[in-house]
Each structure stands twice: as structure tokens, then as C-alpha cells.
């Protein structure tokens, strides 16, 4: 009986994974990025790493903006060795720390002649216990939202779109929280989710595809425009979020590049 249940469960998991993988979007663009400069935050692992690798393969000058410089440098070296593109650099950026964000942005503005693509990828899952950043902000929101909000404002002159990568098997689930429930989630992601390369496809699509060159303000899943939730479509709520974010990060007039 138990053997039958186990075999049935395994078979179900395999079928779901195969179907999900086959239905997942893929970037079909063969655009080259020679002469372009790209920043990918959180590029030392997961989706960010595979995005950086793909853009480097296309000839871009890729800046890995990461908190862990040692880990990021190993990734950069691997990308250089596998793609033959020597223009893969590492710069320090901790999106949970607004001081770090401002330092990084000012260095980019001072040293880079151009910036063509900004991929706000860095993120974390919620820790087991509430943590506060150096700026007095909840750590998950500081990392995933406020840091990127400030960075994008300081580096604007581009189109902006957002995406959901789908269920992707990366280290993020267990990185901050190793309780039993997260192990269950991690097993689900591992057994039925996309791998990192497939999970990066929508990010890459938005970065390179000619089809989205003039598209802005859209939400994508599997390389296609998707209707966001009602909350995400609420313009009044979006305006309030923007205003609160400006206030909490202390965005000055000089930092608004728009």
C-alpha cells in the first residue's frame, strides 16, 4: 500500500514538473549587447547569476552588484571563463542598507559612461524573526523594495517593467529561515519548480527582447504580459506607496533623475 502511494506521488510530481517546465516561457531573442552596460543586483546566485551569464554571453559589460564580494567574484570568474567575456565586474551593493545603495549609485554615475539595463533582482525571503535594517526598516522590505526603489530613482532614464519568475528552485527559501515549513516549501520548489536558468528567462526577455524595447509599466510572467492583481492595479495605492517610499528612504531632489 505504502509502496503504491509513494510511486503514485513520485509519478505525479514528475508529471507536474514536466508540464510546468514545458509551459514555461523562454526568451527567444538573439539580440547581441556588445557595447551595452548592464547592472544585475543579487547576481551571485540563482536567477541573478543566470541572467548575468546570459547577458555576458551576448557581449554586454556586466556589473554584478552584490553584498558578498567573495561569492560574487567566484561567479564573475566562472562567467568570464565560460563565456569568454572579460567585461564582467563585481561591485559592492547591499540593498538592505540605504548608505550602501547611495554609495553604489554615486560610483556608477561617476565612473560609467552609460547604463543600458538595470536588473533589480536581489531579494530575500522573510526571516523567522523580525529583523530591522540599519535604517530602521523591516529587513525584507528594505532588501526587496526600498533599496531598489532608491537605486532606480538615482539611475533612471529607462523603461520599467516588472515580472514574476514563477516557481524556481533557488537557495532563497532556506537562506534566511530553516524551519520545518520552509523545508517543505523547499522540497516543493526543488521537485516541481523551474531550474535557475529557466527561471531567469522572463528577466532576460525584458532585458533584451526587441518586442519590449518601447514597453513600460507592464507586468510579465513566462515572457508574456499578464494582468496583475487588483491591489497592484490600484493607482491610488501605488501613489501612496511611492510617496511613503520616498519618505522612508529620504529621497532628495538631487537623487531624482527624472
Amino acid at each position: 500500500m505504502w509502496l503504491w502511494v509513494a510511486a503514485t506521488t513520485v509519478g505525479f510530481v514528475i508529471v507536474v514538473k514536466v508540464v510546468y517546465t514545458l509551459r514555461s516561457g523562454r526568451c527567444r531573442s538573439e539580440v547581441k549587447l556588445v557595447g551595452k552596460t548592464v547592472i544585475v543586483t543579487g547576481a551571485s546566485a540563482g536567477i541573478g547569476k543566470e541572467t548575468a551569464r546570459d547577458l555576458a554571453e551576448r557581449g554586454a559589460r556586466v556589473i554584478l552588484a552584490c553584498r558578498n564580494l567573495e561569492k560574487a567574484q567566484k561567479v564573475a570568474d566562472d562567467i568570464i571563463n565560460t563565456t569568454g567575456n572579460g567585461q564582467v565586474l563585481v561591485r559592492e551593493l547591499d540593498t538592505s542598507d540605504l548608505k550602501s545603495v547611495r554609495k553604489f549609485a554615486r560610483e556608477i554615475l561617476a565612473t560609467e559612461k552609460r547604463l543600458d539595463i538595470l536588473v533589480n533582482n536581489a531579494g530575500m525571503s522573510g526571516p523567522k524573526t523580525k529583523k530591522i535594517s540599519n535604517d530602521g526598516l523591516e529587513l525584507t522590505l528594505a532588501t526587496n523594495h526600498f533599496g531598489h526603489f532608491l537605486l532606480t530613482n538615482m539611475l533612471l532614464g529607462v523603461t520599467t517593467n516588472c515580472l514574476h519568475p514563477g516557481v524556481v528552485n533557488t537557495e532563497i527559501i532556506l537562506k534566511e529561515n530553516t524551519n520545518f515549513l520552509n523545508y517543505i516549501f523547499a522540497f516543493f520548489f526543488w521537485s516541481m519548480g523551474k531550474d535557475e536558468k529557466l527561471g531567469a528567462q522572463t528577466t532576460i526577455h525584458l532585458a533584451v527582447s526587441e518586442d519590449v524595447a518601447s514597453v513600460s509599466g507592464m507586468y510579465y510572467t513566462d515572457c508574456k504580459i499578464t494582468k496583475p492583481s487588483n491591489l497592484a492595479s490600484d493607482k491610488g495605492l501605488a501613489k501612496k506607496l511611492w510617496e511613503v517610499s520616498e519618505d522612508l528612504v529620504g529621497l532628495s531632489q538631487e537623487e531624482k533623475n527624472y
Side-chain angles (χ1 to χ4, degrees):
M1 177 65 179
W2 286 110
L3 184 61
W4 179 84
V5 171
T8 302
T9 302
V10 171
F12 174 76
V13 168
I14 292 174
V15 170
V16 170
K17 185 177 181 66
V18 170
V19 172
Y20 185 56
T21 299
L22 290 175
R23 294 183 62 183
S24 297
R26 290 168 174 78
C27 178
R28 305 297 183 185
S29 174
E30 297 181 359
V31 164
K32 298 300 181 184
L33 299 176
V34 177
K36 305 287 187 181
T37 297
V38 177
I39 293 174
V40 183
T41 70
S44 62
I47 294 172
K49 178 180 69 176
E50 293 307 319
T51 299
R53 186 188 306 280
D54 183 280
L55 302 183
E57 287 177 342
R58 296 171 187 269
R61 184 171 186 270
V62 182
I63 298 173
L64 311 186
C66 303
R67 178 175 55 183
N68 188 328
L69 295 180
E70 182 179 356
K71 183 178 180 181
Q73 190 59 57
K74 290 179 180 179
V75 170
D77 292 341
D78 178 62
I79 292 175
I80 290 171
N81 291 332
T82 56
T83 66
N85 182 348
Q87 291 295 301
V88 181
L89 315 172
V90 174
R91 295 288 183 267
E92 186 173 12
L93 172 65
D94 181 353
T95 57
S96 73
D97 187 336
L98 299 181
K99 183 178 179 181
S100 173
V101 174
R102 285 188 164 92
K103 181 175 182 292
F104 173 82
R106 287 166 182 158
E107 288 177 351
I108 292 297
L109 292 172
T111 61
E112 297 297 325
K113 296 180 180 179
R114 61 185 295 159
L115 175 61
D116 301 280
I117 300 169
L118 171 63
V119 180
N120 287 327
N121 166 82
M124 62 175 288
S125 59
K128 187 175 182 179
T129 57
K130 184 177 180 180
K131 295 183 179 179
I132 303 299
S133 74
N134 294 334
D135 305 286
L137 302 170
E138 193 279 321
L139 188 63
T140 310
L141 276 172
T143 303
N144 298 355
H145 171 66
F146 291 116
H148 285 129
F149 175 84
L150 176 60
L151 178 63
T152 304
N153 270 280
M154 294 183 71
L155 299 178
L156 272 174
V158 293
T159 57
T160 304
N161 294 290
C162 62
L163 67 101
H164 191 312
V167 178
V168 187
N169 177 29
T170 70
E171 64 182 38
I172 193 170
I173 294 297
L174 295 176
K175 192 171 184 180
E176 297 292 333
N177 195 344
T178 55
N179 63 27
F180 180 71
L181 185 60
N182 272 40
Y183 277 110
I184 293 177
F185 277 120
F187 174 75
F188 171 73
F189 277 47
W190 170 79
S191 60
M192 292 188 283
K194 305 176 184 179
D195 61 24
E196 295 171 345
K197 185 173 182 179
L198 187 56
Q201 292 303 301
T202 304
T203 304
I204 296 166
H205 174 74
L206 292 181
V208 306
S209 177
E210 307 95 321
D211 295 336
V212 299
S214 59
V215 177
S216 190
M218 294 291 108
Y219 174 62
Y220 283 75
T221 59
D222 287 322
C223 302
K224 299 176 183 177
I225 293 178
T226 305
K227 187 180 184 301
S229 67
N230 290 333
L231 279 176
S233 303
D234 188 327
K235 293 184 178 179
L237 184 60
K239 184 174 184 293
K240 291 178 182 177
L241 174 61
W242 187 278
E243 292 170 347
V244 168
S245 298
E246 281 190 335
D247 181 56
L248 290 177
V249 304
L251 189 68
S252 68
Q253 193 61 43
E254 305 85 68
E255 293 172 332
K256 298 180 181 179
N257 287 305
Y258 57 90

